[in-house]
Amino acid sequence: MSDPTAPDPIPEDAARTALAKRGERLTTLSFAVSIFGALALAVVYWRGGQPQLEGIFLCLALGGLGVGMIVWARYFMPHGTDVEARHQIESTEEEIDAFREEFERGEHILTRRSLLVRMGTAAVAALGVALIFPIRSLGPRPGKGFKSTPYRKGIRLVTDDGTLIKADDVSVDGVITAFPEGHTDAADASTLLIRPNEPVQARPGRESWTPGNLVAYSKLCTHVGCPVGLYQAGVHLLLCPCHQSTFDVLDGARPIFGPAARSLPQLPIEVDGEGYIVARGDFSGPTGPGFWDRDR
Amino acid sequence: MTTTSPARRQKRDKLLTRRAARWLDARLGGAKYARTALGKVFPDHWSFLLGELALYAFVVLLATGVYLTFFFHPGNQIVTYHGSYAPLHGVQMSEAYRSAVELSFDVRAGLVMRQIHHWAALLFVASIVVHLMRIFFTGAFRRPREVNWMIGVLLLILAIFNGFAGYSLLDDQLSGTGLRIAYSITLSIPLAGTWLASLLFGGEFPGPDIIDRLYVIHILLLPAVIALLIGIHLFLVVRHKHTQFGGMGRTEENVVGEAVWPSFAFKSLGLMMLVAAVLAALGGLAQINPIWLYGPFDPAEVSSASQPDWYMGWLDGSLRLFPPLEIRAFGFEVPAPFFPGALLAGITFGLLFAWPSLEALFTGDRRVHHLLDRPRDRPVRTSLGVATLSFYTVLTLAASNDVIATTFGLSVNAVLLTFRALVIVLPPIAALVTYRLCNELQARDIAGGYVPPDRPRVRWELLRFWRWRAMRRASRAPSTAG
Ligand code: FES
């Protein structure tokens, strides 16, 4: 590590020489560590790679270089305080005036200047508005899709692999995640089928929605839409893992704890002649998180 | 050895680098400018390194990020996994997730690069936040540096966005949940929400295009904007010259410190290497975001206790703490997540942007400042800052309220209520304590013979903004009475 450009300190006394020696040793050592790290990294890589070793050797290669540079600067580079004057950042009045004059050159030649400026501005504005339109291509108009799911009257319920669900498949205290038949990838239609061990208190108008005490709710939390996954059968509560909103299954999935403000929408279901579970229509409201015109 | 002999000088000029430098100078004439640059003086204080830390984390992000783009495919078509990670064999997943898993297990040095990249992102945002705190508490945002403060705040926002976009790309269960929450918060914005969400995601969640779009945003759009803004940020630092603490011959008219060349530049480059070294060690030894354990994203699947990256924690925490409040009227509604999500973020960054103007308004101090404040000499600002920090710290901690509850065997309800109380009570207490502390420290300084700079009076009466017009009229009216 004898670089001809590195300024050598003048050995004024023994202490100074010792210091320089130490600096030299430290710098050399750091760079040696760096070289070792780099070589070892190459070897590790060729032998098939190993994340931990790669990290360690990369650390040595970079760190040795870094320490070496800092030690070098500490021991062998001129130190001391430098002072620099600050200058005013603002331009002076004269400079501003000179600039203005330059900028407004040619203005007096223009007649009807205000009209030209106005038309020019209008043209630029019109172009700006025109450029907004391509943004419209980024997504469809937020219409019905936000408020409805593929559930219709007569659509059967299936599991996520497409198997039809019979009413008997849901045991007491059991939960099954269901989808409308043919739409197992519909993110807004995931449904929880639950058969609590106590009678569900049906909301007015929903008395016939729970055949055999089987109740179907949207699986999407009304807070910010996480899947409500945890059913505590003993207390009939559904728990959202994201922010701990808790819904009462017996009472129309009313939120009783946490940040969710709305009940989970309920799906009207019935059991058809062959014993399959069938939807009688769409959910009682839009599923998932709220938006401003949800109720319109 | 100290005097250069003519022979040696000749030998020097034969060096290739020197010849190249001469060749360039003959064409660009850069030597004189380079000399002024080398002579720039930087004041020395440990806290002035924080911004450099952020810069070097960004360098590491670029280097590792470029490597990752060679292997990652942001596709959403469904494929079956056949790689070397046995537990996922035969599992259906998106192309994006598969390539991320393959990148981790089947590309040599892929995992280490991915983990360095993630750690660097955490460090990037963290050092920006701490740097911002330094600037805030020392008053380095005051005239003439307001514009640079705003650029810094913008950089913070972009860094957070890009971090989020980055870990959302992988399409694992955790990031899918994060995206879902981002979607819902966007959706909750009154009037514009449905349109914004639809345009951003290309339709209803999960949206067919979101991964592709995030990819372009993450690797091209935001990095370019961030790099540009960093350039302007640094240019303005040079233009304004660095701030410094007062005393020891340091005044408003000078900069006292060390010239850039050679010592400072070497130390700074050394620091860059050290930052990279620490990140490399972390990337190799400390596992981060093990997506193969989370599995591919399935919108109907439950993700157990999902913890976002630390810089998103405050938003997650506020979503948890905010009471179930929805405003409904005339068939319209403002959904619950709007207040703790979109509104809080808007207020947070809005206040940050406006702070230099707000402070100038309330103190009436619009003078140029190159000397920094010691935090204790500006007790109002300092205590407001500490209160704000405590607010966001509580929110961040609240993001793991379920983890806290299970770890300590408490009921989630009790933990939630405690956090709700803390988020309201703690900031004012923190402010009071800080205010007291500042005054006491300052009193001790004065007893020790230190003369603190005069403190501008805070015009609290301006808080009554409805009286502004009357106040202005009163101040304009010639005071003949009395
Ligand atoms: S998404 Fe269910 S509580 Fe937030």
Side-chain angles (χ1 to χ4, degrees), chain B residues 403-477:
Chain B
V403 180
I404 293 174
T406 42
T407 320
F408 298 103
L410 304 165
S411 85
V412 183
N413 197 354
V415 176
L416 180 79
L417 290 179
T418 315
F419 271 122
R420 275 188 186 156
L422 276 181
V423 85
I424 293 169
V425 175
L426 198 64
I429 294 180
L432 266 177
V433 171
T434 312
Y435 191 80
R436 272 287 178 76
L437 206 66
C438 285
N439 280 338
E440 233 153 77
L441 284 173
Q442 205 183 40
R444 206 183 299 166
D445 285 348
I446 293 171
Y450 169 79
V451 188
D454 54 334
R455 189 195 290 182
R457 193 183 72 82
V458 180
R459 299 187 288 172
W460 291 114
E461 65 272 15
L462 286 179
L463 279 181
R464 289 187 280 175
F465 54 88
W466 57 93
R467 294 205 47 231
W468 279 6
R469 290 185 75 188
M471 276 192 265
R472 201 168 315 144
R473 229 177 295 128
S475 71
R476 271 213 209 106

Side-chain angles (χ1 to χ4, degrees), chain A residues 82 84 86 138 140 224 294, chain B residues 184 198 213 242 255 257 300 333:
Chain A
D82 301 286
E84 200 181 356
R86 288 184 194 275
L138 290 178
V224 288
R294 192 177 51 90
Chain B
S184 302
S198 180
R213 287 181 185 174
H242 209 285
V255 197
E333 73 173 25

Side-chain angles (χ1 to χ4, degrees), chain B residues 58-346:
Chain B
F58 183 66
V59 172
V60 174
L61 279 171
L62 284 185
T64 49
V66 167
Y67 189 77
L68 296 177
T69 55
F70 293 146
F71 306 101
F72 179 72
H73 318 291
N76 68 342
Q77 62 275 35
I78 299 298
V79 294
T80 314
Y81 182 74
H82 293 298
S84 61
Y85 183 65
L88 286 177
H89 259 240
V91 174
Q92 302 261 306
M93 53 182 67
S94 67
E95 173 71 26
Y97 182 74
R98 180 178 72 175
S99 75
V101 173
E102 274 178 357
L103 167 63
S104 308
F105 289 110
D106 299 299
V107 174
R108 266 186 227 182
L111 181 61
V112 93
M113 289 290 182
R114 220 198 90 214
Q115 298 200 128
I116 295 175
H117 193 70
H118 202 133
W119 279 113
L122 299 190
L123 177 70
F124 184 47
V125 186
S127 46
I128 292 179
V129 169
V130 182
H131 174 61
L132 182 139
M133 275 152 62
R134 198 282 287 174
I135 302 288
F136 178 87
F137 285 114
T138 60
F141 52 80
R142 291 172 298 173
R143 186 173 169 187
R145 295 182 177 77
E146 301 97 322
V147 177
N148 224 14
W149 162 271
M150 289 184 213
I151 292 176
V153 174
L154 203 57
L155 276 168
L156 172 65
I157 298 173
L158 296 180
I160 292 178
F161 259 102
N162 217 24
F164 179 74
Y167 77 79
S168 297
L169 281 180
L170 306 185
D171 206 25
D172 58 295
Q173 189 62 43
L174 190 67
S175 72
T177 305
L179 269 183
R180 154 101 71 187
I181 295 174
Y183 170 84
S184 302
I185 290 178
T186 314
L187 195 64
S188 75
I189 298 171
L191 300 175
T194 43
W195 268 109
L196 281 178
S198 180
L199 294 181
L200 212 60
F201 283 72
E204 240 185 302
F205 187 84
D209 300 330
I210 187 63
I211 302 271
D212 290 283
R213 287 181 185 174
L214 280 179
Y215 188 62
V216 175
I217 290 174
H218 179 73
I219 69 156
L220 178 75
L221 197 62
L222 288 188
V225 177
I226 289 176
L228 182 76
L229 287 179
I230 288 180
I232 301 176
H233 200 67
L234 292 180
F235 169 78
L236 285 180
V237 170
V238 172
R239 175 95 184 89
H240 292 140
K241 297 201 168 92
H242 209 285
T243 50
Q244 58 191 353
F245 284 103
M248 319 241 312
R250 292 176 289 234
T251 68
E252 291 280 5
E253 273 79 44
N254 66 11
V255 197
V256 180
E258 207 171 17
V260 165
W261 192 257
S263 189
F264 181 87
F266 262 64
K267 278 191 262 179
S268 190
L269 276 179
L271 179 69
M272 173 162 95
M273 294 296 166
L274 287 184
V275 169
V278 170
L279 288 172
L282 281 170
L285 302 176
Q287 189 184 61
I288 189 164
N289 201 21
I291 47 157
W292 52 90
L293 298 181
Y294 305 149
F297 180 56
D298 175 350
E301 234 359 88
V302 184
S303 52
S304 57
S306 54
Q307 299 285 310
D309 270 1
W310 77 268
Y311 47 82
M312 301 301 286
W314 57 284
L315 268 179
D316 196 43
S318 79
L319 279 178
R320 288 168 193 235
L321 293 194
F322 200 76
L325 177 77
E326 274 185 0
I327 297 175
R328 298 196 192 106
F330 312 113
F332 294 108
E333 73 173 25
V334 186
F338 172 69
F339 307 101
L343 192 64
L344 178 73

Side-chain angles (χ1 to χ4, degrees), chain A residues 5 19 35 37 57 64 84 97-98 101-102 114 119 146 148 161 170 190 194 203 212 225 238 261 265 285:
Chain A
T5 54
L19 203 67
I35 294 170
F57 290 134
E84 200 181 356
D97 285 343
E101 226 155 83
E102 196 113 326
S114 65
M119 284 310 283
F146 275 87
S148 63
D161 56 5
V170 192
S190 57
I194 307 175
R203 296 260 175 101
L238 272 172

